[in-house]
Every structure is written in structure tokens, then in C-alpha cells.
Amino acid sequence: MNREERFVKQITPKSEDFSKWYVEIIRKAELADYAPIKGMMVIRPYGYAIWENIQHLLDKRIKETGHSNAYFPLFIPESLLEKETEHLEGFAPEVAWVTQGGKEKLEERLAVRPTSEAIIGNMYAKWIKSWRDLPVLINQWANIVRWEKVTRPFLRTTEFLWQEGHTAHETLEEAEKETLLILSLYKEFVETELAIPVVSGSKTEKERFAGASETYAIEALMSDGKALQMGTSHNLGQQFSKVFNIRFEDRSQNLQYVWQTSWGVSTRLVGALIMSHGDDSGLQLPPRVAPVQIVIVPISIGNWKENVLPQAREIEAQLKREGLRVKMDDREEFTPGWKFSEWEMRGVPLRIEIGPRDIKENQAVAVRRDTREKESIGLEALAQRVPEILKNIQTSMLEAGLKFQLENTHEVTSYENFKSILKSERGFIKAYWCGNQSCEEKIKEETMATVRVVPLEQDKQKTREKCVCCGKDSEVRVYFARAY
Ligand SMILES: [Zn+2]
């Protein structure tokens, strides 16, 4: 066995043990490492660069829709957090508390933010006086702490990074419009930039955010057939404004409580990239978020440093001029084969090989990470052809995801069928549900599947449909799945 084979073989095949494969990819691609604190991770530079690309692309959309960024404190006084009881009850088991500052015991405990509704609500009560102050459209990029019992890098860690939007509006309609705007913004962002297709819709009452009157979510199917919640958008109604006394004088000079929303996505999206696109050779990154979009590997034969390297450097400079993220791998201690497998592990979308023979023919060879297709390209055409190939990779990764989602979405009418699918193949199950929590709970208990989303657009059926669990009349078809 040669060295490059060994590099790849150190990974457990995905089909053999998905969770083991997942953590091994994170380690081998140097995305993150375990911290010396239980449940916490260190995001390494390569993993953080993916997050920065996600941030950049999403932040642009958040600002284009009229929002501004701000920053609120990490600590939330207990008295503020406990104002909204439902909210506190929802988060209480996961809150980390600060009880001492220096040598002094604090008079009031401080929560390390599990989310920022309470502290932001407190400030909005000061800032909002009149309808002229509305809407308030603020987003925060921050870290969050939730004391989780079972953790997994990027998917569930005690501390994670996210953005949280918090808006206040004059009317319920405006708040609902904002909630749905963000839901569609998230969907477009994840599908366009991460090449991961999602389903979207509302959450059931049982799965709703603590304190929200309506929660919407986008969910994607990971390649093991389990669903992952990728982002949520909440219509908070007046629940928080009543508790935090956020009032404004309306257009007819009456005092009213504002209508609020909150919404977020987190570093969990990095986990989604791994689980959606990765394979037995490692990570596979969509070009739009890949820290390195193209790696150039000069073939080290003979006096390659004189014959090949200058041309390889010229290609590097040319592609950089096109605004592409390019890496030149001219390390001498590794063979080209070793380098190929290492960059495949790191999920670089496109590799360019150039050797003495290519120089003679005035060309280079481009190899796609997703399909492994090879293409010889004349040197003069590279700067034009490479961006096209990257665009094709981005599109075909989304197409592959859509195909996978379609093949793994089962329309089911019998509960027996429902159970057997979850046992054998998983995936999304589209089935009618009567809307009763008793059926939702029974299904969860017996199959471990939950209602992931209730799609906003229901296909209007003329015929009467039956709940997959109890058989009662049902008009609503929902997505069930086992989820992370
Ligand atoms: Zn039912």
C-alpha cells in the first residue's frame, strides 16, 4: 500500500459507520478539534474559513433586506431571563450561570446567553417610543452557550456561533411578513451557496421555539437519511413585548405593544455541508463557500522546478486575477498522488495538474472533485474556462442533492408502511396528519420520527385524506423524519 492510499483508508467508509465517518472527516480535513472542556470544540482555520464565507454571503443578504448589525452583552441577568416564563422554562435546563465575579459572589446570577430575546427586549423597551421608530431591524453575529448533554462537533456543541435577527414592527401582518421573508431568504441562501436543497414550512406547536407564536424552519435531508434543521424564523407575536413592556404610540396616538420576530442560523451549517456532500474520500465543498476553490499541483518529475513550476505560478497568478481562491501546492516532501488525496479530503472543488508533458502541449488538466471528470484545457483558455467549471460544479452539486431528496422522500398512507420505511431506508416521509399532538407523540415514541415541517403550500386535494396514525380526516400533509 502506498502512502496516499493509506491517507484515504484511515477514514471509516460512510456506509459502514456514518457518525464515525463524520468525526473522522472533521479531524482529517482539520475543520475542528475537541477542546479540553467537555462538549466544546475548537474551530480550526480551515473550518473557520468556511464559516467566514457563510457569514459573508449571508450577511450581504441580511443587509440587502434592510437589516443592520449590532452587538448585545453576553450575560443576561436572571431577573430578565425569568420574565418570560415559557421562554425560561424552554431554556432553563441548558443555561450556564455566572455566580461570581473575581472574588465577589454576585447578588444576582447572570446567564450566559442561550439566545438574546430577553436582553434585546429590555433595550428595545428603551429605544422604541413611537411608530416612527419602527420597524427595528437588527441582526447580531455572536456566540451562544447551551449546556448540552450529548454533543457532536458543529451539530450540537455547548458553545456555538450564529447570527440572530431581532425585529420589532407596528402590526402582526408586518411581523409575519418579516418572518416569512427571512424563511425564504434562508432557503435561497442555503440552496444557492451551500448547494443543499431544503424543505420549508411551519413547526408544530410541540416543536415550536419557547415563547414564539409561530416557528418556521428549513430542513434538509443528510446523506444518512436523517433530517437536519438548518435555520429557524420565529414570529414572536406580542409575547415578549408585553413582558418587556416594549410599547409605542401608534398613528392614532394610542399606546400599543410591538410585534416581534427572531431568526437564526448557526455553525451547524458547516456540519450540514459535511453530511450532505462528503464521501468516502472526504469532504466535498461547493465552490461558493470553499476556502480553496482550486488547488494547483505541479507534477514533480525531473527538473520540474525549472520546467513546470514557473508555468504553474503563472496559472496561479492568472486565476487569482479572476478573483478566485487558489492554492499552489509546491511542497517537495509529498508525491503528487499524496497531494491529490489530501486535497480531495479537504473537499477542494477543482484540481489543476500540470506536468512536463502538459507544458509541451501548452495545456493543463483540470479534475473535478464531485464527478472526478478530467478536462485538458489550453493555457490561454484557463482563465475563462475555470470559472465556468466552478459554476457547473456548484449547479451539479445542488442537482445531485435534489435528486437524493426526491429519491428519499416517500409518500405514505399506511402506518405499517411508515414504520417499515423508517426501519429500512429513512428519508422524508410525506404523510397526512390530523393535527393532534397525541398522534404526533405516538409516532415519535414508536418510530423516533417527528414532524419536521408543515409545508405552507398544501396541495389542495379534492378527496378526503386520513391521518397516517389514527385514520381521522386530515387536510394537512407534513414532512416526517428522524432528525439530528
Ligand atoms: Zn391522527
Side-chain angles (χ1 to χ4, degrees):
M1 196 197 301
N2 63 29
R3 280 170 88 196
E4 48 263 33
E5 278 174 346
R6 222 170 34 235
F7 189 83
V8 172
K9 293 243 166 71
Q10 279 167 7
I11 283 218
T12 306
K14 185 161 129 169
S15 53
E16 199 176 284
D17 187 336
F18 193 83
S19 9
K20 210 168 159 197
W21 167 85
Y22 177 77
V23 292
E24 283 176 5
I25 287 219
I26 288 173
R27 189 176 50 88
K28 291 243 64 164
E30 299 183 347
L31 299 177
D33 203 351
Y34 293 102
I37 310 113
K38 192 182 165 285
M40 297 184 110
M41 66 168 173
V42 176
I43 305 176
R44 300 184 67 177
Y46 193 63
Y48 199 78
I50 298 173
W51 176 241
E52 283 180 314
N53 288 337
I54 289 175
Q55 265 190 314
H56 170 74
L57 294 163
L58 181 58
D59 195 63
K60 191 168 162 273
R61 286 170 168 80
I62 290 174
K63 286 174 179 156
E64 276 168 2
T65 45
H67 306 84
S68 308
N69 289 334
Y71 189 77
F72 295 85
L74 169 67
F75 298 141
I76 303 174
E78 185 167 20
S79 55
L80 275 189
L81 198 62
E82 66 187 12
K83 272 193 174 173
E84 217 294 300
T85 25
E86 202 182 315
H87 185 60
L88 177 69
E89 274 167 24
F91 284 102
E94 304 172 351
V95 173
W97 294 101
V98 177
T99 56
Q100 195 163 320
K103 286 186 175 168
E104 269 168 62
K105 204 166 156 41
L106 302 180
E107 274 172 35
E108 181 181 9
R109 294 199 295 174
L110 300 173
V112 182
R113 63 178 161 224
T115 178
S116 301
E117 276 75 8
I119 191 99
I120 292 179
N122 179 262
M123 298 313 295
Y124 281 7
K126 286 192 193 173
W127 297 343
I128 298 168
K129 298 292 172 214
S130 147
W131 63 270
R132 290 182 188 84
D133 300 326
L134 296 171
V136 173
L137 305 171
I138 288 180
N139 175 63
Q140 157 167 269
W141 289 96
N143 58 339
I144 287 295
V145 168
R146 293 180 189 168
W147 219 257
E148 301 278 2
K149 288 198 183 76
V150 184
T151 57
R152 198 179 307 191
F154 292 111
L155 297 183
R156 187 163 271 120
T157 46
T158 301
E159 182 187 13
F160 58 90
L161 306 179
W162 80 351
Q163 60 68 218
E164 49 179 325
H166 294 268
T167 68
H169 306 265
E170 273 183 85
T171 62
L172 169 64
E173 293 68 38
E174 274 180 44
E176 182 66 9
K177 208 175 142 200
E178 165 80 8
T179 316
L180 292 173
L181 168 80
I182 297 298
L183 182 75
S184 61
L185 184 153
Y186 282 163
K187 182 173 159 61
E188 184 274 329
F189 165 73
V190 166
E191 294 184 338
T192 308
E193 312 292 8
L194 308 189
I196 302 174
V198 298
V199 296
S200 68
S202 59
K203 286 280 177 186
T204 65
E205 200 184 334
K206 189 173 144 59
E207 303 281 327
R208 210 174 271 163
F209 176 73
S213 55
E214 193 73 77
T215 287
Y216 300 95
I218 52 168
E219 300 257 341
L221 213 51
M222 299 295 103
S223 52
D224 63 343
K226 279 168 85 175
L228 183 75
Q229 181 174 294
M230 309 268 288
T232 48
S233 182
H234 315 290
N235 186 336
L236 302 175
Q238 291 180 314
Q239 199 136 333
F240 287 87
S241 64
K242 283 184 175 160
V243 172
F244 290 97
N245 202 26
I246 316 171
R247 288 193 295 178
F248 70 103
E249 202 178 72
D250 72 9
R251 290 165 200 254
S252 3
Q253 282 152 359
N254 297 313
L255 271 185
Q256 303 268 8
Y257 290 105
V258 299
W259 300 85
Q260 288 177 275
T261 81
S262 69
W263 29 273
V265 301
S266 71
T267 32
R268 181 172 249 221
L269 294 182
V270 179
L273 281 172
I274 304 167
M275 293 197 295
S276 303
H277 300 307
D279 61 19
D280 287 346
S281 307
L283 203 59
Q284 225 185 120
L285 293 171
R288 299 276 301 168
V289 293
V292 176
Q293 295 170 312
I294 304 134
V295 61
I296 301 171
V297 181
I299 305 302
S300 42
I301 308 171
N303 47 354
W304 64 285
K305 280 181 144 178
E306 288 76 43
N307 301 336
V308 179
L309 197 54
Q311 192 51 255
R313 287 206 197 287
E314 174 50 33
I315 295 173
E316 181 192 12
Q318 228 180 57
L319 296 178
K320 278 188 175 160
R321 276 199 296 275
E322 294 297 311
L324 301 170
R325 299 188 283 271
V326 192
K327 168 96 189 159
M328 158 73 73
D329 188 353
D330 56 1
R331 291 174 297 174
E332 285 180 67
E333 65 274 34
F334 295 109
T335 63
W338 170 275
K339 292 175 183 177
F340 296 169
S341 72
E342 183 176 343
W343 294 109
E344 278 181 6
M345 176 63 63
R346 285 170 171 261
V348 174
L350 192 68
R351 175 174 81 228
I352 292 182
E353 305 168 9
I354 180 158
R357 212 179 312 150
D358 299 307
I359 299 276
K360 266 185 211 135
E361 307 200 1
N362 202 35
Q363 63 164 37
V365 178
V367 187
R368 287 170 64 144
R369 170 67 179 88
D370 63 336
T371 56
R372 295 216 155 80
E373 274 170 279
K374 284 189 178 193
E375 182 179 330
S376 299
I377 306 169
L379 293 180
E380 72 294 338
L382 265 179
Q384 187 219 334
R385 182 63 189 139
V386 166
E388 282 172 8
I389 301 178
L390 291 178
K391 225 171 160 187
N392 289 345
I393 295 175
Q394 186 80 27
T395 315
S396 54
M397 284 180 81
L398 177 63
E399 275 165 9
L402 282 166
K403 185 165 171 276
F404 177 82
Q405 191 193 67
L406 193 70
E407 284 167 0
N408 290 279
T409 301
H410 313 276
E411 293 188 8
V412 165
T413 49
S414 96
Y415 194 39
E416 282 317 304
N417 200 0
F418 188 111
K419 285 193 274 195
S420 79
I421 285 175
L422 278 176
K423 228 176 258 161
S424 56
E425 10 177 1
R426 294 188 186 162
F428 278 134
I429 293 186
K430 257 180 119 174
Y432 280 89
W433 168 57
C434 62
N436 278 327
Q437 233 177 59
S438 56
C439 284
E440 196 181 0
E441 271 156 17
K442 185 178 174 217
I443 290 173
K444 185 176 182 181
E445 205 181 288
E446 293 177 358
T447 69
M448 293 185 328
T450 47
V451 178
R452 300 320 301 162
V453 289
V454 182
L456 299 182
E457 281 159 30
Q458 293 285 336
D459 342 320
K460 292 273 176 264
Q461 298 278 353
K462 290 245 166 64
T463 52
R464 293 230 143 178
E465 298 297 336
K466 308 283 181 205
C467 171
V468 74
C469 180
C470 70
K472 276 187 201 139
D473 284 351
S474 159
E475 289 177 340
V476 186
R477 190 149 64 160
V478 303
Y479 282 92
F480 288 94
R482 286 189 192 160
Y484 279 95

